[in-house]
Amino acid sequence: MSPQKVREFFSRLAAANPEPKGELEYATPFQLLVAVVLSAQATDKGVNRATRPLFRAHPTPQAMIALGEEGIADYIQTIGLYRTKAKNVAALSRLLLERHGGEVPHDRAALEALPGVGRKTANVVLNIAFGEPTIAVDTHIFRIGNRTGLAPGKTVEAVEQKLLKVVPDEFRLHAHHWLILHGRYTCKARKPDCPHCALRDLCAYKEKTHVQP
C-alpha cells in the first residue's frame, strides 16, 4: 500500500471514530494489565463479565494477593485457560508489590518480566495506560495487515515493525484501537463485510465480498 493510501486509510478511520476506545473494562493501570492478561484466547466481553465482580471486590495488587490463586480462579473460571491465568495474576500481583511498590511499571522490559505478560500485552499497557504510540498486533491486526496490504508480514512481530514504519505519526497513538475494531466488526476473519467497508477502494484483498442479490 502506498504512503498516500496508508494516510487515507487512517484518515478515514479517524474521521469515523476520532477517539477510539478498547472494550476491556478497567479503572486503573493494574486492572488494565490483569484484564489484558486474561484476554489471551478469550473475548473482551467474556473477560469483562468475569472481571466486573473480581475488580469490584479485589481492585488492587494487595487485594489480589490476599484473594489467592484459587480465589482468583473461582472468579475467572468462565475464561479459557483460567487456572494458568489465575496463577499468573497472583504472581504478577506479588511481583508488582515486591519490585514496583504496587504500581504498574512504565517500562517494556519490566512489564515483560511479569508472569503472563508478553510483547503484545506490554504494548497494550504502554499504549493505553501511558499513552505511548505502540501497536499491539493481535489476530485481527495481523489479518488486516496482510489482507489489505497495509503491513504484510509472516509473523506478528514483522507486521508490528511494518506498521510502526508505515503508519503516519499523527495516527500511531490510536492505530491499535482502530485496527482491532475494524477487524472485529468489519474486516472479519470468515466473511469480511466489504460492501459496508469505508476502506474498500484502498484494500488489496482480491476476494472481496459482495452484497447478495
Side-chain angles (χ1 to χ4, degrees):
M1 193 177 290
S2 69
Q4 294 80 11
K5 282 189 174 182
V6 172
R7 182 170 292 279
E8 180 63 20
F9 187 102
F10 283 100
S11 293
R12 293 182 191 179
L13 291 173
N17 188 3
E19 293 292 332
K21 302 293 182 187
E23 296 180 322
L24 289 173
E25 298 173 4
Y26 64 93
T28 65
F30 169 69
Q31 292 176 14
L32 170 66
L33 174 62
V34 171
V36 179
V37 167
L38 296 180
S39 71
Q41 300 180 50
T43 66
D44 287 358
K45 288 181 180 179
V47 171
N48 289 338
R49 281 195 294 270
T51 57
R52 283 176 198 136
L54 174 63
F55 291 160
R56 190 160 50 241
H58 309 278
T60 65
Q62 294 91 331
M64 206 69 75
I65 292 168
L67 176 61
E69 184 180 327
E70 287 300 318
I72 296 168
D74 287 343
Y75 276 97
I76 66 169
Q77 60 186 301
T78 55
I79 299 174
L81 305 174
Y82 76 96
R83 290 205 173 276
T84 297
K85 292 176 179 179
K87 182 178 180 179
N88 286 336
V89 169
L92 73 83
S93 298
R94 193 173 301 108
L95 286 179
L96 286 177
L97 278 175
E98 291 175 0
R99 299 178 182 177
H100 307 288
E103 299 296 323
V104 175
H106 184 179
D107 178 83
R108 177 184 297 282
L111 285 168
E112 291 187 21
L114 296 171
V117 179
R119 184 176 181 84
K120 185 184 79 171
T121 297
N123 274 336
V124 173
V125 173
L126 290 170
N127 178 255
I128 299 175
F130 300 111
E132 289 199 17
T134 57
I135 301 177
V137 178
D138 68 349
T139 55
H140 296 301
I141 296 181
F142 184 79
R143 180 174 68 253
I144 289 173
N146 282 286
R147 179 184 275 173
T148 66
L150 174 66
K154 292 183 178 180
T155 66
V156 165
E157 189 152 355
V159 171
E160 179 188 335
Q161 294 307 315
K162 188 69 178 291
L163 285 169
L164 291 172
K165 288 181 181 177
V166 303
V167 178
D169 289 348
E170 65 265 36
F171 298 121
R172 202 172 294 164
L173 179 63
H174 293 316
H176 163 78
H177 281 131
W178 282 321
L179 293 174
I180 284 180
L181 294 171
H182 187 66
R184 189 171 288 167
Y185 297 110
T186 303
C187 196
K188 294 173 280 191
R190 292 187 180 178
K191 188 177 180 182
D193 188 11
C194 301
H196 299 101
C197 178
L199 311 172
R200 178 186 174 94
D201 59 310
L202 304 173
C203 174
Y205 188 48
K206 294 180 180 179
E207 300 175 26
K208 291 186 176 74
T209 58
H210 302 280
V211 175
Q212 296 298 314

